[in-house]
Amino acid sequence: MPKLHVLFTKENLDPNRLQGKVVIVLDVLFATSTIVHAFADGIDSIWPARDAEDARCIAGDLDAPFMAGEYLAGSLPGFGPATPLALADARGQGATLVYATTNGTVALKNAAAATDVYVGALLNGAALAAHVMRAHPLASVLLVCSGSADRFNLEDFYGAGHLVGHFERSGNYELTDAALAAMLLRRGCDAQTVLNASRIGRMMKAHALQHEVDCAAQTDTLNVVPRLDDGRLHLVAA
């Protein structure tokens, strides 16, 4: 029976232990929620970047991409906003996005050695879990919480628990204690309560971004499955 495990931060990720596993990266506030929302909003592809310099290097090889992102929750000069709703308003009809964040896009880059890498959020939990169970029925699944600079983030762990719940109902996975803990947290609280109580959630509220937190707190509303291949995120059939 394949295992289902949760890593508390991206710094726990060991590239030498990823072969044959399905990795799902979560950064609920906001990188992976923003990526999922952007695909649902019609974008064709997203290139995750480690930082602004990496983003500019990637963009140099593309045809007029839109660039967006943040560093330590601050805006990057010349870049669009990093949150779901603000990005949707800012990017227009561009088909390609280069996206750099402090944690979520770095976690995606760090996970690139895995056989299969997907983007997870509360928004697409049901669609993503269904796809992984159908496409990789025998593979162990590793849920990677991005965290914040090697610190545990409550909202990422809650998002992992949301996904664990979808996988657990199939009866086809052996849950580690970390996966079980995440699922029990998910069952004990609603998403809005957890995201509002989290450190990042409180910081967003102080910056008048409660509506972005509300957006990320929706569960299973978007039927999109972003997958990472050769450095580029694209949609696969949900």
Side-chain angles (χ1 to χ4, degrees):
M1 179 178 287
K3 287 188 177 181
L4 184 60
H5 185 46
V6 177
L7 293 182
F8 294 164
T9 71
K10 63 184 179 302
E11 285 77 12
N12 297 139
L13 194 61
D14 181 353
N16 296 316
R17 301 179 64 182
L18 297 180
Q19 198 63 35
K21 294 179 180 174
V22 172
V23 172
I24 298 174
V25 173
L26 296 112
D27 183 358
V28 173
L29 296 177
F30 283 102
T32 58
S33 296
T34 299
I35 290 169
V36 168
H37 191 272
F39 275 115
D41 196 41
I43 205 160
D44 287 340
S45 61
I46 298 176
W47 295 79
R50 291 189 180 279
D51 51 31
E53 182 178 352
D54 187 31
R56 293 188 184 97
C57 182
I58 293 170
D61 293 327
L62 302 174
D63 182 17
F66 188 84
M67 294 201 298
E70 54 81 21
Y71 181 68
L72 297 177
S75 59
L76 293 170
F79 284 62
T83 52
L85 299 176
L87 177 61
D89 288 341
R91 76 173 179 83
Q93 297 303 310
T96 302
L97 171 69
V98 180
Y99 186 49
T101 66
T102 313
N103 297 294
T105 56
V106 174
L108 282 165
K109 302 277 275 191
N110 290 351
T115 306
D116 301 281
V117 181
Y118 293 94
V119 176
L122 292 169
L123 293 164
N124 72 332
L128 175 57
H131 172 82
V132 170
M133 288 187 282
R134 184 173 62 251
H136 315 285
L138 302 179
S140 291
V141 177
L142 183 61
L143 306 176
V144 178
C145 300
S146 297
S148 293
D150 207 11
R151 287 189 294 178
F152 173 86
N153 272 5
L154 176 62
E155 70 276 12
D156 293 343
F157 194 61
Y158 184 86
H162 180 66
L163 281 165
V164 171
H166 284 301
F167 284 108
E168 189 269 343
R169 280 191 284 277
S170 74
N172 295 328
Y173 292 87
E174 177 186 348
L175 274 59
T176 66
D177 280 0
L180 182 61
M183 186 179 70
L184 292 174
L185 170 66
R186 169 68 177 96
R187 289 179 176 174
C189 299
D190 66 89
Q192 193 75 56
T193 297
V194 171
L195 267 61
N196 286 343
S198 70
R199 181 180 62 87
I200 302 296
R202 287 181 274 116
M203 184 169 68
M204 292 301 106
K205 183 177 182 179
H207 287 80
L209 293 173
Q210 181 65 52
H211 58 295
E212 299 281 13
V213 177
D214 295 343
C215 175
Q218 299 174 83
T219 57
D220 303 331
T221 55
L222 300 181
N223 193 35
V224 297
V225 179
R227 174 186 166 94
L228 182 68
D229 285 299
D230 298 325
R232 180 181 72 96
L233 292 166
H234 62 100
L235 282 184
V236 295

